[in-house]
PDB file of all heavy atoms in Angstrom:
ATOM      1  N   ALA C  22      71.564 122.636  96.962  1.00  0.00           N
ATOM      2  CA  ALA C  22      71.054 124.016  97.027  1.00  0.00           C
ATOM      3  C   ALA C  22      71.327 124.635  98.398  1.00  0.00           C
ATOM      4  O   ALA C  22      71.609 125.827  98.495  1.00  0.00           O
ATOM      5  CB  ALA C  22      69.559 124.027  96.731  1.00  0.00           C
ATOM      6  N   ARG C  23      71.273 123.826  99.440  1.00  0.00           N
ATOM      7  CA  ARG C  23      71.557 124.360 100.782  1.00  0.00           C
ATOM      8  C   ARG C  23      72.971 124.942 100.841  1.00  0.00           C
ATOM      9  O   ARG C  23      73.232 125.869 101.580  1.00  0.00           O
ATOM     10  CB  ARG C  23      71.449 123.253 101.835  1.00  0.00           C
ATOM     11  CG  ARG C  23      70.031 122.767 102.077  1.00  0.00           C
ATOM     12  CD  ARG C  23      69.327 123.627 103.085  1.00  0.00           C
ATOM     13  NE  ARG C  23      68.035 123.102 103.478  1.00  0.00           N
ATOM     14  CZ  ARG C  23      66.997 123.874 103.792  1.00  0.00           C
ATOM     15  NH1 ARG C  23      67.087 125.182 103.756  1.00  0.00           N
ATOM     16  NH2 ARG C  23      65.859 123.322 104.160  1.00  0.00           N
ATOM     17  N   ILE C  24      73.890 124.371 100.043  1.00  0.00           N
ATOM     18  CA  ILE C  24      75.269 124.870 100.032  1.00  0.00           C
ATOM     19  C   ILE C  24      75.377 126.125  99.154  1.00  0.00           C
ATOM     20  O   ILE C  24      75.951 127.128  99.545  1.00  0.00           O
ATOM     21  CB  ILE C  24      76.222 123.767  99.483  1.00  0.00           C
ATOM     22  CG1 ILE C  24      76.168 122.536 100.393  1.00  0.00           C
ATOM     23  CG2 ILE C  24      77.658 124.290  99.356  1.00  0.00           C
ATOM     24  CD1 ILE C  24      76.774 121.286  99.769  1.00  0.00           C
ATOM     25  N   LEU C  25      74.770 126.046  97.963  1.00  0.00           N
ATOM     26  CA  LEU C  25      74.954 127.142  97.000  1.00  0.00           C
ATOM     27  C   LEU C  25      74.008 128.319  97.229  1.00  0.00           C
ATOM     28  O   LEU C  25      74.289 129.437  96.841  1.00  0.00           O
ATOM     29  CB  LEU C  25      74.729 126.606  95.580  1.00  0.00           C
ATOM     30  CG  LEU C  25      75.766 125.598  95.092  1.00  0.00           C
ATOM     31  CD1 LEU C  25      75.325 124.980  93.778  1.00  0.00           C
ATOM     32  CD2 LEU C  25      77.109 126.303  94.903  1.00  0.00           C
ATOM     33  N   LEU C  26      72.858 128.024  97.819  1.00  0.00           N
ATOM     34  CA  LEU C  26      71.822 129.040  97.965  1.00  0.00           C
ATOM     35  C   LEU C  26      71.330 129.110  99.401  1.00  0.00           C
ATOM     36  O   LEU C  26      70.143 128.861  99.648  1.00  0.00           O
ATOM     37  CB  LEU C  26      70.642 128.646  97.065  1.00  0.00           C
ATOM     38  CG  LEU C  26      70.408 129.410  95.800  1.00  0.00           C
ATOM     39  CD1 LEU C  26      69.304 128.755  94.988  1.00  0.00           C
ATOM     40  CD2 LEU C  26      70.030 130.846  96.103  1.00  0.00           C
ATOM     41  N   PRO C  27      72.201 129.415 100.331  1.00  0.00           N
ATOM     42  CA  PRO C  27      71.733 129.485 101.712  1.00  0.00           C
ATOM     43  C   PRO C  27      70.983 130.807 101.926  1.00  0.00           C
ATOM     44  O   PRO C  27      71.019 131.673 101.054  1.00  0.00           O
ATOM     45  CB  PRO C  27      73.045 129.463 102.513  1.00  0.00           C
ATOM     46  CG  PRO C  27      74.057 130.071 101.603  1.00  0.00           C
ATOM     47  CD  PRO C  27      73.619 129.781 100.187  1.00  0.00           C
ATOM     48  N   GLY C  28      70.305 130.911 103.042  1.00  0.00           N
ATOM     49  CA  GLY C  28      69.703 132.204 103.379  1.00  0.00           C
ATOM     50  C   GLY C  28      68.429 132.508 102.632  1.00  0.00           C
ATOM     51  O   GLY C  28      67.994 133.655 102.585  1.00  0.00           O
ATOM     52  N   ARG C  29      67.835 131.494 101.994  1.00  0.00           N
ATOM     53  CA  ARG C  29      66.507 131.691 101.405  1.00  0.00           C
ATOM     54  C   ARG C  29      65.572 130.650 101.988  1.00  0.00           C
ATOM     55  O   ARG C  29      65.982 129.514 102.200  1.00  0.00           O
ATOM     56  CB  ARG C  29      66.535 131.506  99.884  1.00  0.00           C
ATOM     57  CG  ARG C  29      67.206 132.619  99.147  1.00  0.00           C
ATOM     58  CD  ARG C  29      66.506 132.896  97.836  1.00  0.00           C
ATOM     59  NE  ARG C  29      67.119 134.048  97.202  1.00  0.00           N
ATOM     60  CZ  ARG C  29      66.490 135.201  97.004  1.00  0.00           C
ATOM     61  NH1 ARG C  29      65.234 135.350  97.364  1.00  0.00           N
ATOM     62  NH2 ARG C  29      67.095 136.209  96.427  1.00  0.00           N
ATOM     63  N   PRO C  30      64.317 131.041 102.234  1.00  0.00           N
ATOM     64  CA  PRO C  30      63.378 130.026 102.722  1.00  0.00           C
ATOM     65  C   PRO C  30      63.073 129.002 101.619  1.00  0.00           C
ATOM     66  O   PRO C  30      63.006 129.371 100.439  1.00  0.00           O
ATOM     67  CB  PRO C  30      62.124 130.832 103.078  1.00  0.00           C
ATOM     68  CG  PRO C  30      62.411 132.252 102.777  1.00  0.00           C
ATOM     69  CD  PRO C  30      63.737 132.376 102.108  1.00  0.00           C
ATOM     70  N   TYR C  31      62.897 127.761 102.017  1.00  0.00           N
ATOM     71  CA  TYR C  31      62.564 126.688 101.065  1.00  0.00           C
ATOM     72  C   TYR C  31      61.229 126.040 101.470  1.00  0.00           C
ATOM     73  O   TYR C  31      60.904 125.984 102.660  1.00  0.00           O
ATOM     74  CB  TYR C  31      63.594 125.546 101.124  1.00  0.00           C
ATOM     75  CG  TYR C  31      64.972 125.826 100.566  1.00  0.00           C
ATOM     76  CD1 TYR C  31      65.336 127.057 100.053  1.00  0.00           C
ATOM     77  CD2 TYR C  31      65.925 124.805 100.560  1.00  0.00           C
ATOM     78  CE1 TYR C  31      66.620 127.278  99.554  1.00  0.00           C
ATOM     79  CE2 TYR C  31      67.210 125.015 100.071  1.00  0.00           C
ATOM     80  CZ  TYR C  31      67.554 126.258  99.562  1.00  0.00           C
ATOM     81  OH  TYR C  31      68.811 126.460  99.079  1.00  0.00           O
ATOM     82  N   VAL C  32      60.530 125.527 100.458  1.00  0.00           N
ATOM     83  CA  VAL C  32      59.394 124.631 100.711  1.00  0.00           C
ATOM     84  C   VAL C  32      59.679 123.379  99.903  1.00  0.00           C
ATOM     85  O   VAL C  32      60.082 123.478  98.740  1.00  0.00           O
ATOM     86  CB  VAL C  32      58.055 125.237 100.218  1.00  0.00           C
ATOM     87  CG1 VAL C  32      56.934 124.220 100.319  1.00  0.00           C
ATOM     88  CG2 VAL C  32      57.689 126.472 101.011  1.00  0.00           C
ATOM     89  N   TYR C  33      59.496 122.216 100.513  1.00  0.00           N
ATOM     90  CA  TYR C  33      59.678 120.970  99.770  1.00  0.00           C
ATOM     91  C   TYR C  33      58.311 120.337  99.565  1.00  0.00           C
ATOM     92  O   TYR C  33      57.562 120.147 100.535  1.00  0.00           O
ATOM     93  CB  TYR C  33      60.585 119.998 100.552  1.00  0.00           C
ATOM     94  CG  TYR C  33      60.949 118.800  99.712  1.00  0.00           C
ATOM     95  CD1 TYR C  33      61.945 118.892  98.749  1.00  0.00           C
ATOM     96  CD2 TYR C  33      60.259 117.593  99.840  1.00  0.00           C
ATOM     97  CE1 TYR C  33      62.268 117.818  97.938  1.00  0.00           C
ATOM     98  CE2 TYR C  33      60.573 116.510  99.038  1.00  0.00           C
ATOM     99  CZ  TYR C  33      61.579 116.633  98.093  1.00  0.00           C
ATOM    100  OH  TYR C  33      61.894 115.562  97.286  1.00  0.00           O
ATOM    101  N   VAL C  34      57.981 120.020  98.326  1.00  0.00           N
ATOM    102  CA  VAL C  34      56.691 119.376  98.051  1.00  0.00           C
ATOM    103  C   VAL C  34      56.932 118.016  97.421  1.00  0.00           C
ATOM    104  O   VAL C  34      57.629 117.899  96.404  1.00  0.00           O
ATOM    105  CB  VAL C  34      55.808 120.235  97.116  1.00  0.00           C
ATOM    106  CG1 VAL C  34      54.499 119.511  96.816  1.00  0.00           C
ATOM    107  CG2 VAL C  34      55.529 121.598  97.739  1.00  0.00           C
ATOM    108  N   ALA C  35      56.387 116.979  98.052  1.00  0.00           N
ATOM    109  CA  ALA C  35      56.442 115.622  97.499  1.00  0.00           C
ATOM    110  C   ALA C  35      55.020 115.219  97.121  1.00  0.00           C
ATOM    111  O   ALA C  35      54.140 115.202  97.983  1.00  0.00           O
ATOM    112  CB  ALA C  35      57.001 114.654  98.545  1.00  0.00           C
ATOM    113  N   ASP C  36      54.819 114.902  95.861  1.00  0.00           N
ATOM    114  CA  ASP C  36      53.491 114.423  95.444  1.00  0.00           C
ATOM    115  C   ASP C  36      53.432 112.924  95.699  1.00  0.00           C
ATOM    116  O   ASP C  36      53.259 112.127  94.780  1.00  0.00           O
ATOM    117  CB  ASP C  36      53.253 114.774  93.967  1.00  0.00           C
ATOM    118  CG  ASP C  36      51.823 114.476  93.533  1.00  0.00           C
ATOM    119  OD1 ASP C  36      50.978 114.201  94.416  1.00  0.00           O
ATOM    120  OD2 ASP C  36      51.559 114.500  92.310  1.00  0.00           O
ATOM    121  N   ASP C  37      53.587 112.562  96.946  1.00  0.00           N
ATOM    122  CA  ASP C  37      53.684 111.134  97.288  1.00  0.00           C
ATOM    123  C   ASP C  37      52.365 110.390  97.097  1.00  0.00           C
ATOM    124  O   ASP C  37      52.368 109.170  96.950  1.00  0.00           O
ATOM    125  CB  ASP C  37      54.213 110.936  98.728  1.00  0.00           C
ATOM    126  CG  ASP C  37      53.265 111.461  99.772  1.00  0.00           C
ATOM    127  OD1 ASP C  37      52.567 112.465  99.505  1.00  0.00           O
ATOM    128  OD2 ASP C  37      53.188 110.861 100.862  1.00  0.00           O
ATOM    129  N   ALA C  38      51.254 111.136  97.053  1.00  0.00           N
ATOM    130  CA  ALA C  38      49.971 110.476  96.810  1.00  0.00           C
ATOM    131  C   ALA C  38      49.973 109.854  95.408  1.00  0.00           C
ATOM    132  O   ALA C  38      49.205 108.931  95.132  1.00  0.00           O
ATOM    133  CB  ALA C  38      48.836 111.480  96.937  1.00  0.00           C
ATOM    134  N   ALA C  39      50.848 110.356  94.528  1.00  0.00           N
ATOM    135  CA  ALA C  39      50.871 109.879  93.142  1.00  0.00           C
ATOM    136  C   ALA C  39      52.145 109.112  92.810  1.00  0.00           C
ATOM    137  O   ALA C  39      52.382 108.772  91.657  1.00  0.00           O
ATOM    138  CB  ALA C  39      50.733 111.066  92.201  1.00  0.00           C
ATOM    139  N   PHE C  40      52.990 108.861  93.816  1.00  0.00           N
ATOM    140  CA  PHE C  40      54.265 108.151  93.586  1.00  0.00           C
ATOM    141  C   PHE C  40      53.986 106.695  93.210  1.00  0.00           C
ATOM    142  O   PHE C  40      53.115 106.065  93.798  1.00  0.00           O
ATOM    143  CB  PHE C  40      55.107 108.192  94.870  1.00  0.00           C
ATOM    144  CG  PHE C  40      56.433 107.490  94.730  1.00  0.00           C
ATOM    145  CD1 PHE C  40      57.529 108.156  94.219  1.00  0.00           C
ATOM    146  CD2 PHE C  40      56.564 106.144  95.088  1.00  0.00           C
ATOM    147  CE1 PHE C  40      58.750 107.505  94.078  1.00  0.00           C
ATOM    148  CE2 PHE C  40      57.776 105.492  94.949  1.00  0.00           C
ATOM    149  CZ  PHE C  40      58.871 106.175  94.453  1.00  0.00           C
ATOM    150  N   PRO C  41      54.719 106.112  92.240  1.00  0.00           N
ATOM    151  CA  PRO C  41      55.779 106.700  91.440  1.00  0.00           C
ATOM    152  C   PRO C  41      55.252 107.356  90.167  1.00  0.00           C
ATOM    153  O   PRO C  41      54.341 106.838  89.523  1.00  0.00           O
ATOM    154  CB  PRO C  41      56.638 105.481  91.094  1.00  0.00           C
ATOM    155  CG  PRO C  41      55.670 104.342  91.015  1.00  0.00           C
ATOM    156  CD  PRO C  41      54.569 104.659  92.003  1.00  0.00           C
ATOM    157  N   TYR C  42      55.842 108.483  89.795  1.00  0.00           N
ATOM    158  CA  TYR C  42      55.456 109.172  88.562  1.00  0.00           C
ATOM    159  C   TYR C  42      55.847 108.354  87.333  1.00  0.00           C
ATOM    160  O   TYR C  42      55.247 108.488  86.279  1.00  0.00           O
ATOM    161  CB  TYR C  42      56.173 110.524  88.489  1.00  0.00           C
ATOM    162  CG  TYR C  42      55.427 111.693  89.089  1.00  0.00           C
ATOM    163  CD1 TYR C  42      54.284 111.512  89.861  1.00  0.00           C
ATOM    164  CD2 TYR C  42      55.867 112.998  88.872  1.00  0.00           C
ATOM    165  CE1 TYR C  42      53.614 112.600  90.403  1.00  0.00           C
ATOM    166  CE2 TYR C  42      55.194 114.088  89.405  1.00  0.00           C
ATOM    167  CZ  TYR C  42      54.077 113.890  90.173  1.00  0.00           C
ATOM    168  OH  TYR C  42      53.424 114.976  90.691  1.00  0.00           O
ATOM    169  N   GLY C  43      56.903 107.541  87.480  1.00  0.00           N
ATOM    170  CA  GLY C  43      57.438 106.785  86.344  1.00  0.00           C
ATOM    171  C   GLY C  43      56.413 105.904  85.660  1.00  0.00           C
ATOM    172  O   GLY C  43      56.541 105.576  84.480  1.00  0.00           O
TER     173      GLY C  43
END
Side-chain angles (χ1 to χ4, degrees):
R23 290 274 188 214
I24 299 165
L25 293 171
L26 254 173
R29 288 217 176 246
Y31 289 2
V32 172
Y33 189 79
V34 178
D36 188 11
D37 65 327
F40 180 86
Y42 269 11

